[in-house]
C-alpha cells in the first residue's frame, strides 16, 4: 500500500524538524539541572553541618539517656489533638490517623503445676501516643473472662493494672487501676497518694476482651514507662509485664514538639528532615508536605502548571536511579544502611536526595536525615524552564502556522488549476475554454502559463484532427472517381476471363475505399448539421410505428416488434431527422448480429419527464471489457468482414443522444445471449 502525502502534509513534516529546538533547549536545561542538583547537595551539606551544632547543643541539654536499651524501648509519636478516652480503636477513633507500633506484654507468671494444655493463651498488646501534656495509653487483650474489683470484698482476686513511670529528673511514679466494672476508671498514683478524676480513662469489656484507654501526665513519664497487667480468676494468676523484674519499666522514646519546631527552622521547598536516636526511632520530623501547606497559608505564589511539571518530570527523572520507598514505618527508620551516605533515588516522576549526618550527644549517637525533592527546589528557584518552553513553543507555533498557511495557499492554487483544466477539456478531448494563466512570477505561475500554451496547442491539433477526415475525403474522392471511371471503361472492353477477375477485384476495392471515405466524413458532417437541426413536437409512438413498418420492408429477413402502452401520451420535443438517423444506426447494428428467427424488439416507456426507448436483439453478448468503450469513436467489436466498419456508428448514436440532452447505454441481457440498448430522452427541451 502506497502512502501519499499532499503538499501541506509534506511541509508539516518538514516543519516538525523545528521540534529539535525545544529538544536542544531541554538538553541545556537538563545540564543546568544537573549542575544545580550538585550545588544543592553541597549547600544542603553545609546547612546540615550548621544544624548539627545546634542540635548537639539541644540534645546535650535534654535527657535522652540510654536507659536499659538492651531491653528494648517503647515509642510514642506526637499527636496534635486531645484524644477522647472512650476505649474504642475503630475506624472513627482518635487512633486512626496516628502511626504508632503495637508493643507486646509477656506473661511472666502463671500457676506452675498446670499442664501445657491448661495454660491460658491470653495475649496483651498496647500502643502509645503523646501531646504536649499527656501520654496516651491503649491496651488491648485477647478473649478472656473479666474479674472486676469489689470494694466490699477487697481481698477477693480481681483484674488490676499497675504502671511504673520515670520522668527526666528520675522521679518514679507508681500508678494503679482497679476496675469495678466496664466503663470509666480511676487512676491512683500510689507513690504520691493522689487520685485522678473519673474521666482519667476507660476500661471496657467488649466483644469478649478488654480495651483499656487511659492517659497520664507526660511530665511524670517522660523518660521510661512499664506495665503490669494482672488477670485473676481464682485459679490462674497471670502477670503480663514489660520486664520480669520489680523495676519493669523500659525507656520511652518519644517524638518531641520542641525538636519539631527546631527542625522547622531549616525547612525549605521540597525538604523533609528527620531526627533519629541510636535505635533509629523518630524523635523529630518536619515533612516537606507540611512545609508546603504552611507556606500556602502565607503566600499567594502560583503553583507551576501541570504542563510545566509534566515536561520537567519527563526531562529530569532518571530511570537509572533506585526507586524511593517511604523511609519510616510506625515511627522507626526502615533501612539503617541508608544512613551516613548521600544517595539519589527515583520517586516517579521526580528525584529525591537522601543525605544524613551523625550527631554525638550525651554519649549517644543521633542521626539528622534530610530528604530533598529536586523538583520543588528547582522549579521554585528558577523561571528559566517556563520562559524557555513558552518562547520556543511560541516560535514553533508562529512558524508552523506560517508554513501551514503558505502550504494551504499553494495547495489551493494547484487545486484550482486542476479544476480549471479539467473543465476546459471534455470527454472527447475538445477544448471548451482556455483557462486564464496566473500572473504570479513563481514556479506555479510558470506552470500555469505552460499549461495554457499546451491547452491552446492541443485545441489547434484537435481542430486539425476534426477536419482531417473531411479533408482526406475531399482530396481522395477525385482520384477514386478517376479510378472508378477507368475501371468502368475497362469493363466495357472485351477482356479475357483472367483479366476480368482482376478487374472485378479492383472494382470491389474501389467501392470499399469510397465507403471508407464516406464514413470518415459522416461524423464531422453530422456535428455541422446540429446547427441547422429543426426541433418539432411529435408523437413519438406514431413515429416509431412508421419506422418499424419501414424497417420490416427494408430488412425483410428479420422480424420487428414494437411494445408500448397505447393509452399514454408520448409527445416529445426533438429533431426527427436526427432521431431517425440514430435509430437507423441502432437497427443496422442489430441486423448485423441478431439471428433471423428472433425478433428485434422496440419497447417504449414513459418515466416521469423522460421517454425510455429500448432496442433488444438476441445477438451475442458484448465483452464486459468493451462495454464502456462501445460509444467511443473508432471503436469496433466486429470481426473482419468485407464491409468496412470504422466504429463510427454507435459514436454517432452517442453524439445525437448528447445533442438531445439524453443518455444512451448498452448492456447484456440475462442468459447466454442477447443485448439491449436503452435511450433516455427528455420530453421537453428548449
Amino acid at each position: 500500500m502506497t502512502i501519499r502525502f499532499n503538499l501541506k502534509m509534506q511541509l508539516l513534516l518538514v516543519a516538525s524538524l523545528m521540534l529539535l529546538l525545544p529538544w536542544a533547549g531541554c538538553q541545556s536545561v537538563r545540564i543546568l539541572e544537573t549542575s544545580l542538583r550538585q550545588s544543592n547537595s553541597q549547600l544542603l551539606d553545609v546547612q546540615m553541618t550548621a544544624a548539627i551544632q545546634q542540635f548537639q547543643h539541644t540534645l546535650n541539654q535534654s535527657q535522652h539517656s540510654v536507659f536499659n536499651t538492651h531491653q528494648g524501648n517503647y515509642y510514642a509519636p506526637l499527636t496534635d489533638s486531645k484524644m477522647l478516652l472512650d476505649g474504642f480503636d475503630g475506624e472513627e477513633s482518635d487512633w486512626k490517623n496516628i502511626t504508632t507500633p503495637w508493643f507486646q506484654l509477656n506473661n511472666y507468671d502463671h500457676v506452675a503445676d498446670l499442664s501445657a494444655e491448661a495454660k491460658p493463651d491470653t495475649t496483651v498488646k498496647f500502643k502509645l501516643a503523646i501531646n504536649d501534656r499527656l501520654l496516651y495509653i491503649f491496651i488491648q487483650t485477647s478473649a478472656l473472662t473479666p474479674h472486676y474489683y469489689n470494694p466490699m470484698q477487697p481481698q477477693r482476686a480481681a483484674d488490676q493494672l499497675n504502671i511504673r513511670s520515670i520522668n527526666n529528673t528520675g522521679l518514679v511514679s507508681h500508678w494503679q487501676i482497679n476496675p469495678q466494672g466496664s466503663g470509666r476508671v480511676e487512676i491512683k498514683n500510689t507513690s504520691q497518694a493522689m487520685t485522678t478524676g473519673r474521666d482519667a480513662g476507660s476500661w471496657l469489656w467488649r466483644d469478649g476482651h478488654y480495651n483499656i484507654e487511659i492517659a497520664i501526665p507526660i511530665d511524670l513519664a517522660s523518660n521510661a514507662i512499664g506495665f503490669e497487667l494482672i488477670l485473676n480468676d481464682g485459679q490462674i494468676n497471670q502477670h503480663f509485664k514489660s520486664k520480669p523484674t520489680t523495676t519493669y519499666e523500659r525507656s520511652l522514646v518519644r517524638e518531641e514538639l520542641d525538636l519539631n519546631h527546631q527542625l522547622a527552622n531549616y525547612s525549605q521547598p521540597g525538604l523533609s528532615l528527620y531526627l533519629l536516636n541510636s535505635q533509629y526511632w523518630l524523635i523529630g520530623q518536619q515533612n516537606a508536605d507540611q512545609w508546603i501547606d504552611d507556606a500556602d497559608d502565607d503566600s499567594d505564589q502560583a503553583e507551576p502548571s501541570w504542563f510545566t511539571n509534566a515536561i520537567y518530570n519527563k526531562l529530569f527523572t532518571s530511570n537509572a536511579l533506585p526507586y524511593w520507598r517511604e523511609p519510616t514505618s510506625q515511627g522507626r527508620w526502615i533501612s539503617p544502611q541508608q544512613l551516613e551516605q548521600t544517595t539519589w533515588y527515583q520517586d516517579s516522576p521526580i528525584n529525591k536526595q537522601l543525605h544524613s549526618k551523625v550527631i554525638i550527644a550525651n554519649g549517644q549517637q543521633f542521626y539528622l536525615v534530610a530528604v530533598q525533592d529536586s523538583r520543588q527546589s528547582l522549579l521554585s528557584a528558577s523561571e528559566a524552564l517556563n520562559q524557555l518552553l513558552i518562547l520556543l513553543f511560541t516560535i514553533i507555533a508562529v512558524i508552523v502556522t506560517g508554513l501551514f498557511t503558505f502550504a494551504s495557499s499553494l495547495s489551493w492554487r494547484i487545486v484550482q488549476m486542476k479544476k480549471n483544466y479539467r473543465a476546459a477539456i471534455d470527454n472527447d478531448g475538445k477544448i471548451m475554454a482556455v483557462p486564464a494563466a496566473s500572473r504570479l512570477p513563481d514556479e506555479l505561475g510558470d506552470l500555469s502559463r505552460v499549461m495554457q500554451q499546451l491547452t491552446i496547442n492541443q485545441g489547434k491539433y484537435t481542430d486539425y484532427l476534426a477536419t482531417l477526415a473531411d479533408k482526406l475525403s475531399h482530396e481522395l474522392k477525385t482520384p477514386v472517381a478517376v479510378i472508378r471511371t477507368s475501371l468502368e471503361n475497362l469493363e466495357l472492353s472485351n477482356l479475357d476471363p483472367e483479366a476480368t477477375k482482376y478487374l472485378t477485384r479492383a472494382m470491389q476495392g474501389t467501392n470499399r475505399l469510397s465507403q471508407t471515405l464516406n464514413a470518415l466524413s459522416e461524423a464531422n458532417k453530422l456535428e455541422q448539421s446540429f446547427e441547422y437541426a429543426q426541433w418539432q413536437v411529435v408523437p413519438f409512438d406514431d413515429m416509431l410505428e412508421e419506422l418499424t413498418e419501414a424497417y420490416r420492408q427494408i430488412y425483410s429477413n428479420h422480424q420487428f416488434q414494437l411494445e408500448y402502452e397505447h393509452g399514454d401520451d408520448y409527445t416529445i420535443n426533438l429533431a426527427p431527422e436526427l432521431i431517425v438517423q440514430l435509430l437507423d444506426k441502432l437497427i443496422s447494428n442489430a441486423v448485423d448480429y441478431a439471428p433471423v428467427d428472433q425478433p428485434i424488439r422496440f419497447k417504449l416507456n414513459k418515466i416521469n419527464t423522460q421517454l425510455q426507448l429500448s432496442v433488444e436483439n438476441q445477438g451475442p453478448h458484448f465483452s464486459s471489457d468493451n462495454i464502456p468503450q462501445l460509444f467511443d469513436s473508432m471503436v469496433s467489436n466486429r470481426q473482419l468482414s468485407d464491409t468496412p466498419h470504422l466504429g463510427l456508428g454507435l459514436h454517432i448514436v452517442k453524439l445525437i443522444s448528447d445533442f438531445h440532452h439524453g443518455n444512451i447505454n448498452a448492456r447484456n441481457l440475462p442468459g447466454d445471449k442477447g443485448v439491449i440498448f436503452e435511450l433516455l430522452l427528455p420530453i421537453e427541451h428548449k
Side-chain angles (χ1 to χ4, degrees), residues 29 32-44 47 266-272 288 291-292 301 303-304 308-309 312-313 316 344 350-354 371-386:
V29 175
L32 174 63
E33 190 271 344
T34 302
S35 177
L36 288 176
R37 189 169 63 182
Q38 295 174 353
S39 300
N40 287 342
S41 298
Q42 297 173 359
L43 178 61
L44 183 60
Q47 292 175 338
Y266 299 94
S267 295
Q268 41 183 278
L271 178 64
S272 297
W291 187 91
I292 292 174
Q301 184 178 1
E303 286 289 328
T308 303
N309 279 335
Y312 179 85
N313 296 334
F316 306 135
W344 281 94
I350 59 175
N351 297 331
K352 286 187 176 181
Q353 174 196 13
L354 188 146
V371 178
Q372 177 69 58
D373 181 343
S374 61
R375 177 188 61 181
Q376 292 292 341
S377 61
L378 186 59
L379 285 182
S380 61
S382 176
E383 293 289 333
L385 180 61
N386 290 345

Side-chain angles (χ1 to χ4, degrees), residues 549-566:
E549 185 62 30
Y551 292 143
R552 290 192 184 104
Q553 297 177 5
I554 297 172
Y555 305 103
S556 58
N557 293 331
H558 289 270
Q559 305 175 36
F560 295 89
Q561 294 180 0
L562 174 61
E563 300 176 4
Y564 63 94
E565 293 292 337
H566 292 275

